[in-house]
Amino acid sequence: MAQEIDGLKEIKPWQYYSEFRSKDVIWTEHRSKEYWEYRKKWSSIPKSMIVTDFPIHLDIETTSYCNLECVMCPRTIQSKEGFDYLPGNDVEFPMDEYKRIIDECAENGLCSLKLQYLGEPLADSKIVERVKYAKDKGIMDVMFNTNATLLTEEMSHRLLEAGIDDLFFSVDSIIPEKFEKIRIGADYNQVVDNIKKFMKIKKEGGYDSVQTRVSMVLFPGTKTEEIEAYKNFWIPIVGTVGFIEWVNHTTAHGDYEEYNPDFVCAQPFQRMFIRYDGTCTPCCLDAKKEYSLGNIHEHTIKEIWHGEELTRMREYQKTGRYREIEICRKCLAPVSKSSGEATPELV
């Protein structure tokens, strides 16, 4: 249960997530004062429940396509159920609309941008152009997660030259056989090789400010020995590892009986998601677009950010009524055992 500190509710900026970072990473020494001020806002704004004029962060799903069928991914589940992400119906977000969004972001001081949701960003034919356009417009922190299967040496060079700030690799086991059963369609050794080559190119090119991380979903039954082996293998290579609590995205996923009256979700105060079809959603767990905030093809980001749906969600969160919103009632975050603090553990 959340605790109140100095009259403010204790809100988890990093819900159901923990991170371990090497003391030897150097990217932290090459970030600006403005960057660290933004990172403070990531925690302080939701904890104070302040509604900013514009989101701190924006997630844009630039493609609906993915080359893998990961067992825990809602995209895989929805595709198999015939709900969404249907084979042959893959979409890339229109570049002209993307530029309009980035222009609005630049005009309103957006701090960070993630170019991905359920699709694989390296499958987006315009991903390098999108990174460069955002950086040219002055977006401070541009990033995405990738399964690294398509991370060729050429792509590594192009991304770094375009100005990518953070690249996060999703690698869900240190055991090759287990990894390939989770990330169906991926070759473990190839993924590891791709990441190692990226790190070599990054180092040789002097891209010292670029942050890298590998992350792993902690499935039920994951052994401590595997977690420790994962940390020991990856931290010397990429500098940081993250662990994410498994979330059940199947149709059997129901309401959590436990209620946390002091819980307030950080995400409606931090960010907003734009899906491949323009639908805007409030958080990372609304995979089925159950709580639509509006469509970006019809409204501006600022209009949606201050719109009726997101305003109602924030109010229900602040007053302990989150269970009255269906997607919030089904969410792991209120009962997550993670500390949720936006501070990595140094190792």
Side-chain angles (χ1 to χ4, degrees), residues 155-256:
M155 178 58 73
S156 297
H157 281 289
R158 292 178 66 203
L159 284 171
L160 289 165
E161 290 166 5
I164 192 75
D165 294 292
D166 316 276
L167 201 57
F168 305 136
F169 311 112
S170 300
V171 185
D172 290 297
S173 181
I174 194 68
I175 305 167
E177 298 80 8
K178 182 178 178 181
F179 170 87
E180 291 173 7
K181 287 180 180 179
I182 294 170
R183 295 197 159 260
I184 297 173
D187 180 286
Y188 176 81
N189 292 325
Q190 184 64 63
V191 167
V192 172
D193 188 56
N194 289 350
I195 295 171
K196 286 182 175 180
K197 285 179 178 176
F198 177 87
M199 297 306 297
K200 183 174 183 289
I201 292 167
K202 172 183 173 299
K203 182 177 181 180
E204 291 178 348
Y207 297 100
D208 295 336
S209 66
V210 177
Q211 177 185 187
T212 52
R213 180 185 71 213
V214 297
S215 61
M216 169 182 172
V217 173
L218 295 178
F219 288 90
T222 301
K223 295 181 179 179
T224 303
E225 293 82 357
E226 182 180 353
I227 295 172
E228 291 304 311
Y230 189 93
K231 289 161 59 176
N232 292 337
F233 179 78
W234 281 113
I235 287 178
I237 297 172
V238 299
T240 304
V241 298
F243 297 99
I244 308 159
E245 290 183 60
W246 173 74
V247 176
N248 185 353
H249 289 286
T250 67
T251 52
H253 174 48
D255 299 351
Y256 284 90

